[in-house]
Amino acid sequence: MSIDRKGSGIPAVTLALECAVLFSISVVARSLYLDQEPIHDELYHLLAARSWLDNGSFAVGDGEYTRGSLYTMFVATIYRIFADDVTIVRWSSVVVGSLWVLAVFVWSRYKFDRTIAWTAALLFSLAPGAVFLSQYIRFYVLHGVLFWLVAVGIFELLERSLTPKERAIIGGGIVLCVSAATHLQLTTVVGIAGIFMYGAFRSLPDIVKRSTTSLYLRRALIGFVVASAVGVALMLYLGIVSEIIEIYRWAPAWAGRGGFLRYHWMLVEQYPLFWGLLP
């Protein structure tokens, strides 16, 4: 299936006005309560950023907080340019979150049509989880933007007819976004695995069909299946699979009664409409 650019003829002025309106809505929705006291997780970056400005370390108490260090350096840069003010740092998240809404709108506007674009953007703009992350001094909203770019990039590679140059540019962008997102959040690999599973299932029928007329492709497909089976067998034999399962099932004490399913139940409770749309 190839998806055409439905909105390729959108006047620039019209698009700019729509983006301005949508950006204003997103900013207003995210600009409340920015002056509240820092909550627990925000202190990791705030304290580490002050330490980085003072002596180049990421010290927090007697230890260091190096997770998402590039984001901590970003927070420190805001301190240096503006002021040591929690509200100003939160505004950076507001801007990033609102730009993400615009990205969703513009991509949907060009890919589909105005109704779909406005529906998607408004739902995303006012979604409680998206609003909260855009008021939060953590790397989550930036990570979300990077991951969304990866998903869109994979979609474009699979669904559009592209020149080799375009494929190279999009592929390079995907690699950069994956690298940055993984730096911020190691669990990115779980989501990336899901995206590539989509890509594999999306491409598999076409590959199998073409392999019936191409000996080279047929051999490559058989080799891939055999190599995958051998790889899985080795992982089982070496105990790697059991280690991965143990890591997956581990949950910190604060996860409470939900244990390792805590985030699953959070999605069920906070996004009932999403789950209702599933088969």
Side-chain angles (χ1 to χ4, degrees), residues 211-225:
S211 69
T212 59
T213 57
S214 171
L215 180 61
Y216 172 79
L217 189 58
R218 188 159 58 248
R219 287 175 176 175
L221 185 60
I222 293 172
F224 175 77
V225 172

Side-chain angles (χ1 to χ4, degrees), residues 42-252:
E42 291 179 310
L43 293 172
Y44 288 118
H45 292 298
L46 294 173
L47 296 176
R50 291 170 184 166
S51 175
W52 188 74
L53 288 176
D54 291 339
N55 53 44
S57 71
F58 297 102
V60 176
D62 296 330
E64 279 195 330
Y65 187 76
T66 56
R67 182 185 177 193
S69 56
L70 289 178
Y71 180 77
T72 299
M73 294 166 68
F74 170 72
V75 173
T77 302
I78 294 177
Y79 277 168
R80 177 176 289 167
I81 295 174
F82 298 101
D84 188 341
D85 189 306
V86 171
T87 303
I88 293 177
V89 180
R90 286 198 177 114
W91 268 107
S92 67
S93 294
V94 170
V95 172
V96 173
S98 298
L99 289 175
W100 187 5
V101 172
L102 287 192
V104 170
F105 173 75
V106 172
W107 183 75
S108 301
R109 186 78 167 84
Y110 275 92
K111 187 60 61 179
F112 304 108
D113 58 37
R114 173 178 285 171
T115 301
I116 291 175
W118 271 101
T119 301
L122 284 175
L123 286 173
F124 186 42
S125 174
L126 302 176
V131 171
F132 171 72
L133 291 181
S134 297
Q135 299 173 317
Y136 200 30
I137 305 175
R138 290 286 276 174
F139 46 72
Y140 298 133
V141 68
L142 180 58
H143 176 267
V145 173
L146 292 168
F147 192 87
W148 180 82
L149 289 172
V150 172
V152 167
I154 296 294
F155 182 88
E156 293 291 321
L157 287 178
L158 292 173
E159 304 294 347
R160 280 181 56 196
S161 298
L162 301 169
T163 65
K165 182 178 179 180
E166 289 174 328
R167 288 189 176 276
I169 292 173
I170 294 176
I174 289 172
V175 171
L176 289 175
C177 289
V178 168
S179 300
T182 304
H183 165 76
L184 296 175
Q185 187 84 302
L186 184 59
T187 52
T188 297
V189 296
V190 178
I192 296 300
I195 291 176
F196 278 96
M197 284 178 63
Y198 154 76
F201 283 114
R202 176 67 183 82
S203 305
L204 191 59
D206 182 56
I207 293 174
V208 172
K209 182 179 179 180
R210 289 166 56 193
S211 69
T212 59
T213 57
S214 171
L215 180 61
Y216 172 79
L217 189 58
R218 188 159 58 248
R219 287 175 176 175
L221 185 60
I222 293 172
F224 175 77
V225 172
V226 172
S228 299
V230 171
V232 171
L234 282 174
M235 291 175 67
L236 287 168
Y237 176 75
L238 296 174
I240 297 175
V241 172
S242 60
E243 290 180 9
I244 292 174
I245 293 174
E246 284 301 316
I247 292 173
Y248 175 75
R249 290 180 59 83
W250 177 85

